[in-house]
Amino acid sequence: MIKAYGSSGRVDDAKLLFEKMPVRNLVTFTGMVKAYAETGHILDARELFDSMPERNLVAWTVMLAAYSQTGHLDEVLALFARIPEREVVSCSIVIGAYSARGQMREARELFDSMREGNVVTWTALIAGYAGRGDLEEARSLFERMPERDTVSWTSMITAYAQLGHLEEARALFDSIPIDHRDAVVWNSMLYAFSRDGCVAGMIETLRAMPRPDLVSWNIAMATLAEWGMGDDFANFFLEMPERNVLSWTSMIQALARRGKLQSARDLFDTMPERNPVSWSTIVQAFARNSQGEEAIQLVLAMLLEGTAPDEIAYIEILAACAHIGLLETSRRFFHSITADHGLVPSIEHYSCMIHILGRSGQARDAEELLQTMSLVPDSISWTALLGSSNEISRGARAARKAVDLDGEISAPYVLLSNLALKCPQEP
């Protein structure tokens, strides 16, 4: 029952059952550690793991996997150093952790030290090399694999796609036996076409799939929204056997990119459910089409519905405020990023706010914000100050800082030249 509760996300019920047990054994302890891990309670999982009167290899592996799946890579390596016995599963987890950190030498040493490996081990190492852009070594390992599964095929196709090698991805896909092409493999090829902007190839592959799933259709919708192809996106949307929030959001994005804002808004209003991404998409649609007031109204509606803006939504909100000159409104929204929603302002948020302050004649406040912000200003931040400055002295300081940080950009020179022409009287 503990396992069932954990798998269904009912960690409180699992904990209650565990605490009521008159006798606990290795199986129940491990099950409770896994229940904590599966529901994101990593600290509780580790505390219980450390309190176990005895541990077997399964318990160690459960804790390793918990750390790995939540990105706690330092903890994975520290725990692995203490494990009394190393076997293929725990080694595979650590190879994946090394690969994620870019420590391919350590990953390879562990791999080579293993008496035997499995598909997971080989795939973890291949994915590590591919992620570092070393396709030659990744393909060499792939060719030497004793056996391959869906994950290994998909990893190699995705690696080619991410590095822009569409033809190699297609050739590898074509070499896969028909009976090994499940939906995951097909979808990796759809992704390859999508990433390369090959809409025709993506559609052809989708049509050739025996049984496209929701992921397949969403890749198609996202591709058409990104790259466009006439009215095909509308036909695809109507043709979909099922839809989720991503499907609806892709359709809204496609309409907005074609300038059909009212159609995008009408579709948004009919969505069965919305999430922060769908809200951000519709706010972005109006903000980027010079409809700042409508974008602000959408944000207020979003808040009334109880949906908190995410980091991307806040960038669009501040951009909308800048477009229509709402200084005080932008101040309130910028303050709410941390005060109301516990988010940490990014460099993009600060740059938006600096731009708004400068455009509103508050250049001194803009420079003060830039110099006191919790992040190290980048060239974009200084360029934002320069672009909104009306004083040669302040503009020159900003231009110098921007160029010092990024000598490749030309914008500061152009903006400073324009400022000098606009303010010739200032020495």
Side-chain angles (χ1 to χ4, degrees):
M1 280 301 293
I2 290 175
K3 181 180 178 181
Y5 282 141
S7 299
S8 60
R10 298 167 60 184
V11 68
D12 290 336
D13 292 329
K15 181 182 178 181
L16 185 62
L17 179 61
F18 178 77
E19 290 176 344
K20 285 184 175 180
M21 287 181 169
V23 178
R24 302 167 191 156
N25 58 24
L26 187 57
V27 174
T28 54
F29 266 102
T30 304
M32 192 63 227
V33 170
K34 189 174 183 181
Y36 277 134
E38 288 178 338
T39 53
H41 295 75
I42 301 301
L43 294 178
D44 291 326
R46 181 57 189 265
E47 184 179 351
L48 184 61
F49 175 82
D50 288 340
S51 72
M52 290 177 69
E54 61 174 327
R55 309 182 191 101
N56 62 5
L57 198 54
V58 174
W60 283 93
T61 303
V62 165
M63 198 63 235
L64 275 175
Y67 277 137
S68 177
Q69 290 163 5
T70 54
H72 292 78
L73 303 182
D74 288 336
E75 287 80 357
V76 169
L77 301 180
L79 195 64
F80 185 67
R82 294 176 48 206
I83 196 168
E85 179 185 354
R86 298 178 178 183
E87 45 69 67
V88 66
V89 177
S90 59
C91 286
S92 297
I93 292 170
V94 175
I95 287 171
Y98 276 135
S99 298
R101 291 164 60 105
Q103 296 177 248
M104 295 312 302
R105 182 174 61 82
E106 291 83 353
R108 187 59 179 262
E109 287 176 356
L110 179 56
F111 178 83
D112 291 339
S113 71
M114 295 173 64
R115 288 194 298 269
E116 61 175 333
N118 61 11
V119 176
V120 176
T121 316
W122 283 82
T123 303
L125 192 61
I126 289 169
Y129 279 116
R132 301 281 290 177
D134 191 349
L135 284 179
E136 183 177 347
E137 189 61 35
R139 185 60 188 258
S140 174
L141 281 165
F142 181 79
E143 296 294 345
R144 289 163 45 202
M145 288 183 75
E147 59 176 322
R148 302 179 184 125
D149 65 359
T150 295
V151 177
S152 51
W153 288 108
T154 303
S155 295
M156 203 64 229
I157 292 172
T158 303
Y160 277 131
Q162 289 176 337
L163 294 171
H165 296 271
L166 178 60
E167 291 305 317
E168 289 85 346
R170 181 61 185 266
L172 183 58
F173 175 80
D174 289 341
S175 72
I176 301 174
I178 296 294
D179 58 345
H180 282 67
R181 294 184 193 175
D182 63 5
V184 177
V185 174
W186 279 96
N187 288 339
S188 68
M189 196 61 231
L190 286 177
Y191 167 76
F193 281 119
S194 173
R195 188 174 178 86
D196 200 65
C198 184
V199 178
M202 183 275 299
I203 293 176
E204 180 184 350
T205 303
L206 181 72
R207 296 303 185 197
M209 285 185 71
R211 289 176 297 278
D213 59 12
L214 183 57
V215 174
S216 315
W217 286 101
N218 280 339
I219 292 173
M221 284 298 301
T223 305
L224 292 169
E226 176 71 23
W227 299 98
M229 194 170 177
D231 291 323
D232 279 354
F233 60 85
N235 296 330
F236 268 75
F237 185 75
L238 294 173
E239 191 179 340
M240 293 179 73
E242 59 176 320
R243 306 181 187 108
N244 62 7
V245 176
L246 179 58
S247 319
W248 287 84
T249 302
S250 294
M251 184 64 189
I252 290 167
Q253 185 183 50
L255 290 168
R257 287 192 172 181
R258 299 192 69 198
K260 299 183 176 182
L261 293 185
Q262 190 56 53
S263 297
R265 177 60 191 269
D266 291 343
L267 187 64
F268 177 81
D269 289 340
T270 62
M271 286 182 73
E273 59 175 319
R274 305 177 184 122
N275 64 8
V277 176
S278 52
W279 276 104
S280 295
T281 299
I282 194 67
V283 169
Q284 180 186 85
F286 281 91
R288 294 193 178 183
N289 282 276
S290 303
Q291 302 288 326
E293 292 183 4
E294 182 66 22
I296 297 299
Q297 291 303 313
L298 281 164
V299 172
L300 297 177
M302 177 183 185
L303 295 171
L304 285 173
E305 193 172 276
T307 303
D310 60 12
E311 290 89 343
I312 295 174
Y314 267 114
I315 293 173
E316 300 303 330
I317 293 166
L318 293 174
C321 289
H323 182 75
I324 55 179
L326 297 177
L327 175 59
E328 292 308 315
T329 301
S330 67
R331 287 185 193 272
R332 288 196 295 272
F333 277 126
F334 185 77
H335 178 71
S336 74
I337 293 175
T338 301
D340 296 336
H341 302 294
L343 302 174
V344 178
S346 69
I347 199 76
E348 289 83 3
H349 298 126
Y350 277 107
S351 295
C352 285
M353 200 63 217
I354 289 164
H355 178 67
I356 294 167
L357 287 166
R359 283 193 57 183
S360 303
Q362 307 289 324
R364 181 177 297 175
D365 289 346
E367 187 169 8
E368 182 180 348
L369 175 62
L370 190 148
Q371 292 177 335
T372 59
M373 57 195 277
S374 58
L375 302 171
V376 177
D378 62 4
S379 61
I380 297 174
S381 307
W382 286 105
T383 303
L385 178 64
L386 169 58
S388 60
S389 179
N390 286 315
E391 298 176 22
I392 289 290
S393 56
R394 180 173 286 112
R397 285 197 303 274
R400 187 164 49 252
K401 291 283 190 180
V403 172
D404 286 345
L405 289 166
D406 185 354
E408 299 294 319
I409 57 174
S410 60
Y413 297 104
V414 176
L415 291 171
L416 187 59
S417 176
N418 291 339
L419 182 60
L421 290 172
K422 189 167 60 174
C423 308
Q425 73 283 0
E426 185 178 342

